[in-house]
Amino acid sequence: MVDNAEKLCPQKHRQRTAQLMQRAGYAAVTAALILIAAKLSAWAYTGSVSVLTTLVDSLLDAGASLLNLLAIRHALTPADNEHRFGHGKAEGLAALAQAAFIAGSAIFLILQAGERFSNQHLVENSSVGVGVMIFSILTTFALTRYQHYVVKETGSVAIQADALHYVGDMIVNGVVILALILGYYFDLPWIDPVFALAISLYILTYAWGVLKKALDMLMDRELDDDERARIKGLILAHEEVLGVHDIRTRISGPDLFIQFHMELDGAISLAQSYDIAEEVDREICQIYPHAEIIVLQEPYGIEVQKNMLKNKESASSATAIPNIEATSGDETANAG
C-alpha cells in the first residue's frame, strides 16, 4: 500500500521567521536611506566621482532593499487556492528587476568615470568624504551583523544575498577612502576616476550574481550535492527505512521543498508506514525548519522491479525493430 504524506514544519517557527525577515528588510531600507543622505552631502562637498559611485550604490541599495522587503512580504503570504506552493518565487522575480537596474546604473557610472578621465580635477574637502565613508562603514557593519543573525535563524536566501551585498559595500567604502587620500594628499587627479571605474566593474559583477541567484530560484535548481547527501543521510538514519530514491529539492523564497520516495518493509500496515513518514518528517524539520516535505512510501525492492521491467521492455523493443526491417526486406525481395 502506498501512502502520500505531505507535512508542514511547525507554524510557530514560520511566524518567527516571517517576523525576523521583515525586521531585517526594514533595517536595510532605513540604513540605506541614512547612507544616501550622508553620501549626498559628501559628494556636494568633495565633487569626487568615487563618492558619487558609492552614492549611486546606496541608491541602488535602497531600491533593492525596498524591492526585497516587498518581495519578502509577498513571499511570506500563505499558500492559497491559486498558489498551492506559496508565493516564494516573488523573490526571484524581484531579483531579476534588481539585476537589470544595478547593471544599468553600473554602466552609467562607467561613462561618468570615462568623462572624468578627460576632465581631471583634484578632489576638494577630502576630510569630509573620508569622515562620511568611515560613518558608512560603521553603519553598514552594524546592519550586516544583524542580517547574519537573521540568516542564521531563518535560512533566508534573500536576506543572505542582501547581506553579501552590504559586505561588499564596506569594501567599496574603504576603497573610496583610499582614493580620496591618494588623490588629495599626493596630487593624483587620475586616481579618482580609476577607483570609480573599478567600483563600477564590481557593481556589474554583483549584478551578475543577483541574476544567477534569481534564475536558480525561478528554474527550480536543486540543492548542492552536499545538502542532498545530508538529507539522504537523515532519511536513512531511521532504522525502519530500507531505502530512498528520487530525492528532489528546490527553493522558493523562504521555503525549501523536499520530495522523495521512501522504501519500507512491504509487510507493515498503512498506519505504521504513515507513522514512520511522520517521524522522518520531524527529523528533517529539526535541521531544515523552513522545509515543506512530501513523502511517498513504497514497498522495499519495488524500484528494482520497475527498473528490471523497464530494461526488459527496452530490450524487447530493440530486438523487434531489426525483425521488422528484415521482414520488410523479404517482402521487397519477393515483390521484385
Side-chain angles (χ1 to χ4, degrees), residues 242-254:
L242 304 179
V244 61
H245 59 90
D246 287 347
I247 299 177
R248 299 180 181 181
T249 60
R250 66 183 179 93
I251 292 175
S252 180

PDB file of all heavy atoms in Angstrom, residues 242-254:
ATOM      1  N   LEU A 242      14.398   1.341   4.626  1.00  0.00           N
ATOM      2  CA  LEU A 242      15.288   0.386   3.964  1.00  0.00           C
ATOM      3  C   LEU A 242      15.947   0.968   2.712  1.00  0.00           C
ATOM      4  O   LEU A 242      16.928   0.410   2.218  1.00  0.00           O
ATOM      5  CB  LEU A 242      14.508  -0.881   3.601  1.00  0.00           C
ATOM      6  CG  LEU A 242      13.793  -1.572   4.783  1.00  0.00           C
ATOM      7  CD1 LEU A 242      13.024  -2.797   4.293  1.00  0.00           C
ATOM      8  CD2 LEU A 242      14.792  -1.959   5.864  1.00  0.00           C
ATOM      9  N   GLY A 243      15.398   2.053   2.199  1.00  0.00           N
ATOM     10  CA  GLY A 243      15.971   2.658   1.004  1.00  0.00           C
ATOM     11  C   GLY A 243      15.282   3.970   0.689  1.00  0.00           C
ATOM     12  O   GLY A 243      14.186   4.256   1.190  1.00  0.00           O
ATOM     13  N   VAL A 244      15.927   4.783  -0.161  1.00  0.00           N
ATOM     14  CA  VAL A 244      15.331   6.053  -0.575  1.00  0.00           C
ATOM     15  C   VAL A 244      15.822   6.377  -1.992  1.00  0.00           C
ATOM     16  O   VAL A 244      16.957   6.060  -2.356  1.00  0.00           O
ATOM     17  CB  VAL A 244      15.703   7.188   0.403  1.00  0.00           C
ATOM     18  CG1 VAL A 244      17.210   7.410   0.447  1.00  0.00           C
ATOM     19  CG2 VAL A 244      14.995   8.490   0.025  1.00  0.00           C
ATOM     20  N   HIS A 245      14.953   6.962  -2.807  1.00  0.00           N
ATOM     21  CA  HIS A 245      15.343   7.345  -4.169  1.00  0.00           C
ATOM     22  C   HIS A 245      14.482   8.507  -4.631  1.00  0.00           C
ATOM     23  O   HIS A 245      13.526   8.914  -3.956  1.00  0.00           O
ATOM     24  CB  HIS A 245      15.210   6.153  -5.129  1.00  0.00           C
ATOM     25  CG  HIS A 245      13.835   5.575  -5.219  1.00  0.00           C
ATOM     26  ND1 HIS A 245      12.902   6.004  -6.114  1.00  0.00           N
ATOM     27  CD2 HIS A 245      13.230   4.590  -4.486  1.00  0.00           C
ATOM     28  CE1 HIS A 245      11.782   5.322  -5.964  1.00  0.00           C
ATOM     29  NE2 HIS A 245      11.951   4.460  -4.979  1.00  0.00           N
ATOM     30  N   ASP A 246      14.839   9.053  -5.796  1.00  0.00           N
ATOM     31  CA  ASP A 246      14.120  10.185  -6.390  1.00  0.00           C
ATOM     32  C   ASP A 246      13.999  11.373  -5.434  1.00  0.00           C
ATOM     33  O   ASP A 246      12.919  11.948  -5.266  1.00  0.00           O
ATOM     34  CB  ASP A 246      12.718   9.759  -6.858  1.00  0.00           C
ATOM     35  CG  ASP A 246      12.769   8.898  -8.108  1.00  0.00           C
ATOM     36  OD1 ASP A 246      13.845   8.841  -8.732  1.00  0.00           O
ATOM     37  OD2 ASP A 246      11.752   8.290  -8.460  1.00  0.00           O
ATOM     38  N   ILE A 247      15.117  11.738  -4.792  1.00  0.00           N
ATOM     39  CA  ILE A 247      15.118  12.919  -3.924  1.00  0.00           C
ATOM     40  C   ILE A 247      15.115  14.165  -4.808  1.00  0.00           C
ATOM     41  O   ILE A 247      15.984  14.337  -5.664  1.00  0.00           O
ATOM     42  CB  ILE A 247      16.353  12.937  -3.000  1.00  0.00           C
ATOM     43  CG1 ILE A 247      16.336  11.702  -2.086  1.00  0.00           C
ATOM     44  CG2 ILE A 247      16.384  14.219  -2.171  1.00  0.00           C
ATOM     45  CD1 ILE A 247      17.564  11.604  -1.199  1.00  0.00           C
ATOM     46  N   ARG A 248      14.143  15.030  -4.604  1.00  0.00           N
ATOM     47  CA  ARG A 248      14.040  16.270  -5.370  1.00  0.00           C
ATOM     48  C   ARG A 248      13.950  17.451  -4.399  1.00  0.00           C
ATOM     49  O   ARG A 248      13.210  17.378  -3.413  1.00  0.00           O
ATOM     50  CB  ARG A 248      12.808  16.250  -6.285  1.00  0.00           C
ATOM     51  CG  ARG A 248      12.827  15.132  -7.317  1.00  0.00           C
ATOM     52  CD  ARG A 248      11.586  15.172  -8.177  1.00  0.00           C
ATOM     53  NE  ARG A 248      11.563  14.085  -9.157  1.00  0.00           N
ATOM     54  CZ  ARG A 248      10.602  13.901 -10.048  1.00  0.00           C
ATOM     55  NH1 ARG A 248       9.574  14.733 -10.087  1.00  0.00           N
ATOM     56  NH2 ARG A 248      10.656  12.892 -10.907  1.00  0.00           N
ATOM     57  N   THR A 249      14.672  18.502  -4.712  1.00  0.00           N
ATOM     58  CA  THR A 249      14.670  19.684  -3.843  1.00  0.00           C
ATOM     59  C   THR A 249      14.594  20.944  -4.695  1.00  0.00           C
ATOM     60  O   THR A 249      15.029  20.967  -5.845  1.00  0.00           O
ATOM     61  CB  THR A 249      15.950  19.750  -2.984  1.00  0.00           C
ATOM     62  OG1 THR A 249      17.094  19.805  -3.852  1.00  0.00           O
ATOM     63  CG2 THR A 249      16.072  18.526  -2.089  1.00  0.00           C
ATOM     64  N   ARG A 250      14.046  21.982  -4.116  1.00  0.00           N
ATOM     65  CA  ARG A 250      14.043  23.299  -4.750  1.00  0.00           C
ATOM     66  C   ARG A 250      13.769  24.351  -3.690  1.00  0.00           C
ATOM     67  O   ARG A 250      13.180  24.059  -2.631  1.00  0.00           O
ATOM     68  CB  ARG A 250      12.985  23.384  -5.858  1.00  0.00           C
ATOM     69  CG  ARG A 250      11.538  23.301  -5.388  1.00  0.00           C
ATOM     70  CD  ARG A 250      10.597  23.320  -6.581  1.00  0.00           C
ATOM     71  NE  ARG A 250       9.194  23.218  -6.185  1.00  0.00           N
ATOM     72  CZ  ARG A 250       8.406  24.272  -5.979  1.00  0.00           C
ATOM     73  NH1 ARG A 250       8.887  25.500  -6.113  1.00  0.00           N
ATOM     74  NH2 ARG A 250       7.140  24.107  -5.630  1.00  0.00           N
ATOM     75  N   ILE A 251      14.209  25.572  -3.973  1.00  0.00           N
ATOM     76  CA  ILE A 251      13.997  26.688  -3.061  1.00  0.00           C
ATOM     77  C   ILE A 251      13.044  27.669  -3.721  1.00  0.00           C
ATOM     78  O   ILE A 251      13.195  28.010  -4.896  1.00  0.00           O
ATOM     79  CB  ILE A 251      15.326  27.382  -2.715  1.00  0.00           C
ATOM     80  CG1 ILE A 251      16.197  26.454  -1.871  1.00  0.00           C
ATOM     81  CG2 ILE A 251      15.076  28.687  -1.963  1.00  0.00           C
ATOM     82  CD1 ILE A 251      17.572  27.008  -1.574  1.00  0.00           C
ATOM     83  N   SER A 252      12.067  28.139  -2.968  1.00  0.00           N
ATOM     84  CA  SER A 252      11.118  29.126  -3.454  1.00  0.00           C
ATOM     85  C   SER A 252      10.935  30.177  -2.368  1.00  0.00           C
ATOM     86  O   SER A 252      10.187  29.972  -1.408  1.00  0.00           O
ATOM     87  CB  SER A 252       9.779  28.473  -3.804  1.00  0.00           C
ATOM     88  OG  SER A 252       8.856  29.430  -4.279  1.00  0.00           O
ATOM     89  N   GLY A 253      11.672  31.292  -2.492  1.00  0.00           N
ATOM     90  CA  GLY A 253      11.613  32.325  -1.461  1.00  0.00           C
ATOM     91  C   GLY A 253      12.139  31.794  -0.145  1.00  0.00           C
ATOM     92  O   GLY A 253      13.222  31.211  -0.085  1.00  0.00           O
ATOM     93  N   PRO A 254      11.382  31.945   0.930  1.00  0.00           N
ATOM     94  CA  PRO A 254      11.846  31.470   2.233  1.00  0.00           C
ATOM     95  C   PRO A 254      11.650  29.975   2.456  1.00  0.00           C
ATOM     96  O   PRO A 254      12.060  29.442   3.480  1.00  0.00           O
ATOM     97  CB  PRO A 254      10.972  32.271   3.222  1.00  0.00           C
ATOM     98  CG  PRO A 254       9.693  32.484   2.474  1.00  0.00           C
ATOM     99  CD  PRO A 254      10.089  32.663   1.029  1.00  0.00           C
TER     100      PRO A 254
END
